[in-house]
């Protein structure tokens, strides 16, 4: 196989997944407005308005641009289709990244399709919700981090700097899109820094680069949640650390130019937040929070309309919050077997089978790409335990009854969509595991039959 063929494999795998999942999502697309936030988002897009905090101006503006191009009378169908395209592209990007890092194309394709068919991912792909676009942004963060590491290992320092700058920009885009995309930030930084060498062998320049990326993630997260003092402090830290990196380079022109580049791209990435300030002054039909002043804009981004819960005290016992995560995980691969929210033996058996497939896929991934395995493990932990710890949710609507006190509050709706990156990561492994087990069973002599069986 030529180098050109090897380079084309990720793109081909990605296009296969994109076509398959886009067809599936469009075939199962919601034909009208669905429950909860979808109607508000569609109305906000139609009026180029401002939905509930934090306002998601980037998502609304992308939807409005699509509506200008596609003037179908059924607005819901057009916006629902935007979610389908974003989710299919996210799964395609994730699988292409696996192929680029050495995973066999058929295993990556199986993983991408399996991840795209998890319940929470599939539901968001068929309705007007911001979480589909957020998933795509997360997948692009992972791709940028891996690309930066690849350029670094190839000795292309300017290319690595450009890709790390792109990663900072993608971090900042989470502020005008949705903060949930930043859950992928730790995994993206891990990909950007993990080249297989032990951290103890890294030089001071390499360590400073990692710290700059972490500071950028903190700054982006602070911007996305309205913690502007923390955002300013993290930005100041970036400037100091970038200057230190430039000094280590001997003050060369590229280093001096790169010293302030991170702050510029963070500001550019967050700049779509200003759309709310401009549009609110025209009082569109949907104008939640009316952020027509700087103070109102800050309140909108910080979600001061709501009572934002801190890390402590916990709103439910920790074991209930963890049980919620496992409850939502049980829905992902077999909800159609028993479509009720409570536990079911038949569904649990299928879920356990997918647990086994995920373990097999994780082992195969570790053998093929240890650094990529570690990054995906970070994504899984960030998207499950990390989200549960940070959000500090109340007990879900369908859990804890008869066990918790009747007066204990429950969430107004199920919150499985907050953990979607964890389910997506496990879906990638489960698909890879199906192919790995089929290949182990059928052997190398029947490689094509094994690949087809696993897929």
């Amino acid at each position: 196989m030529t180098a050109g063929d090897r380079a084309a494999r990720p793109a081909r795998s990605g296009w296969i997944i994109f076509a398959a999942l886009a067809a599936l999502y469009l075939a199962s697309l919601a034909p009208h407005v669905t429950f909860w936030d979808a109607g508000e988002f569609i109305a906000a897009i139609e009026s180029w308005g401002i939905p509930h905090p934090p306002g998601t101006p980037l998502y609304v503006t992308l939807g409005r641009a699509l509506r200008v191009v596609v003037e179908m009378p059924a607005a819901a169908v057009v916006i629902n289709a935007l979610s389908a395209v974003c989710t299919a592209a996210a799964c395609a990007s994730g699988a292409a990244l696996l192929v680029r890092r050495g995973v066999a194309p058929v295993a990556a394709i199986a993983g991408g399709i399996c991840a795209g068919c998890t319940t929470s991912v599939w539901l968001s792909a068929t309705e007007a919700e911001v979480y589909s676009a957020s998933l795509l942004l997360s997948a692009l963060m992972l791709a940028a981090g891996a690309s930066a590491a690849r350029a670094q290992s190839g000795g292309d320092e300017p290319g690595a700097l450009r890709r790390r700058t792109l990663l900072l920009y993608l971090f900042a885009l989470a502020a005008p899109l949705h903060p949930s995309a930043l859950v992928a930030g730790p995994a993206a930084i891990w990909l950007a820094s993990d080249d297989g060498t032990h951290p103890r062998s890294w030089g001071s320049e390499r360590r400073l680069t990692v710290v700059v990326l972490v500071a950028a993630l903190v700054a982006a997260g602070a911007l996305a949640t309205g913690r502007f003092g923390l955002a300013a402090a993290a930005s100041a830290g970036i400037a100091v650390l970038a200057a230190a990196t430039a000094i280590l380079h001997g003050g060369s022109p590229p280093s001096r130019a790169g010293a302030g580049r991170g702050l510029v791209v963070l500001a550019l990435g967050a700049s779509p937040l200003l759309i709310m300030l401009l549009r609110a002054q025209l009082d569109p039909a949907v104008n939640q929070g009316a952020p027509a002043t700087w103070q109102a804009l800050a309140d909108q981004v910080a979600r001061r309309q709501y009572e934002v819960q801190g890390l402590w005290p916990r709103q439910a016992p920790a074991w209930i919050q963890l049980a919620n995560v496992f409850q939502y995980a049980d829905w992902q691969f077999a909800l159609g077997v028993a479509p009720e929210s409570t536990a079911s033996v038949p569904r649990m058996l299928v879920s356990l089978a997918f647990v086994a497939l995920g373990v097999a896929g994780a082992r195969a991934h570790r053998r093929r790409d240890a650094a990529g395995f570690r990054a995906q493990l970070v994504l899984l932990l960030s998207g499950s335990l990390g989200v549960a710890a940070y959000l500090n949710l109340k007990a879900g609507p369908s859990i804890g009854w008869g066990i918790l006190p009747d007066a204990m509050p429950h969430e107004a709706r199920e919150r499985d969509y907050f953990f979607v990156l964890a389910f997506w990561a496990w879906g990638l492994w489960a698909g890879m595991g199906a192919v790995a087990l089929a290949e182990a069973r059928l052997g190398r002599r029947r490689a094509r039959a094994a690949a087809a069986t696993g897929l």
Side-chain angles (χ1 to χ4, degrees):
M1 180 180 291
T2 65
D5 290 336
R6 286 193 295 272
R9 293 170 74 185
R12 284 199 297 264
S13 302
W15 279 114
I16 289 171
I17 292 174
F18 178 82
L21 289 178
L24 178 66
Y25 297 152
L26 293 174
S28 56
L29 200 69
H32 303 294
V33 180
T34 58
F35 286 119
W36 301 106
D37 300 336
E40 183 192 7
F41 278 131
I42 294 169
I45 287 170
E46 285 296 283
S47 61
W48 199 4
I50 301 160
H52 61 278
T56 59
L58 182 56
Y59 172 71
V60 171
T61 302
L62 289 173
R64 184 62 197 153
L66 179 63
R67 287 293 289 137
V68 169
V69 175
V70 183
E71 297 181 345
M72 288 177 56
V77 173
V78 177
I79 306 307
N80 293 346
L82 174 62
S83 296
V85 171
C86 286
T87 307
C91 296
S93 176
L97 174 60
L98 291 174
V99 176
R100 195 169 285 113
R101 295 184 65 87
V103 174
V106 68
I109 290 171
I113 290 177
C114 189
C117 290
T118 54
T119 291
S120 298
V121 173
W122 194 344
L123 285 175
S124 291
T126 59
E127 62 179 356
E129 262 292 4
V130 70
Y131 298 107
S132 54
S134 178
L135 178 62
L136 176 57
L137 180 57
S138 296
L140 294 176
M141 290 178 189
L142 298 174
S147 181
R150 191 164 59 250
Q152 184 77 42
S153 62
D156 183 8
E157 182 59 38
L161 176 60
R162 286 195 299 271
R163 288 159 176 80
R164 289 194 295 267
T165 303
L166 172 62
L167 182 56
L168 265 62
Y169 178 72
L170 295 174
F171 285 167
L173 281 181
L177 183 62
H178 198 274
S180 60
L182 292 173
V183 174
I189 294 174
W190 197 288
L191 278 172
S193 58
D194 189 353
D195 61 354
T197 61
H198 197 281
R200 290 179 181 175
S201 65
W202 295 354
S204 54
E205 178 190 342
R206 181 79 174 278
R207 295 169 189 259
L208 277 173
T209 298
V210 174
V211 175
V212 167
L213 290 175
V214 172
L217 179 62
V218 171
L223 280 172
T225 55
R227 297 176 173 91
F228 302 112
L230 177 59
S235 298
I238 292 171
V240 171
L241 292 167
T245 304
I247 292 172
L248 287 174
H249 272 287
S252 62
S255 301
R256 291 197 301 270
R261 189 178 300 174
L263 297 178
V264 172
V265 298
L266 282 173
L268 284 174
S271 63
L273 289 171
L274 298 177
I275 293 173
M276 292 191 290
L277 183 69
L278 299 175
R279 289 297 300 165
Q281 297 182 31
L282 301 176
D283 194 22
V286 179
N287 191 15
Q288 292 273 9
T293 65
W294 288 104
Q295 182 59 54
L297 177 65
D299 292 343
Q300 180 85 351
V301 176
R303 298 175 295 159
R304 295 195 178 100
Q305 173 180 326
Y306 308 115
E307 184 181 355
V308 180
Q309 186 66 29
L311 296 178
W312 196 264
R314 306 305 292 177
Q315 296 197 94
W319 69 268
I320 280 286
Q321 293 178 330
L322 289 177
N324 259 143
V325 177
F326 287 107
Q327 178 193 30
Y328 297 149
D330 178 47
W331 296 358
Q332 297 307 308
F333 299 101
L335 193 60
V337 172
E340 63 264 3
S341 57
T342 53
S344 163
V345 173
R347 190 176 69 216
M348 190 173 297
L349 292 175
V350 179
S351 296
L352 289 174
F354 272 90
V355 169
L357 288 177
V359 171
R363 294 178 64 184
H365 193 190
R366 185 179 183 182
R367 289 194 298 268
R368 176 66 70 171
D369 174 22
F373 161 79
R374 289 190 288 267
Q376 194 158 319
L377 181 61
V378 169
L379 180 65
L380 177 69
L381 295 175
S382 298
S384 55
L385 300 182
V387 169
Y390 177 79
L391 291 182
N392 189 13
L393 296 171
K394 305 178 185 72
S398 59
I399 199 169
W401 296 105
I403 301 174
L404 299 174
D406 291 341
M408 178 168 285
H410 289 248
E411 291 290 327
R413 60 185 287 199
E414 303 289 5
R415 304 297 186 183
D416 56 293
Y417 50 87
F418 283 141
F419 303 95
V420 71
L421 276 170
F423 306 145
W424 187 74
W426 194 264
L428 289 173
W429 272 343
M432 295 165 61
V435 173
L437 290 177
E439 289 177 342
R441 181 70 175 174
L442 296 177
R444 293 185 177 181
R445 292 185 178 181
R446 291 179 286 180
R448 291 187 177 181
T453 302
L455 182 57

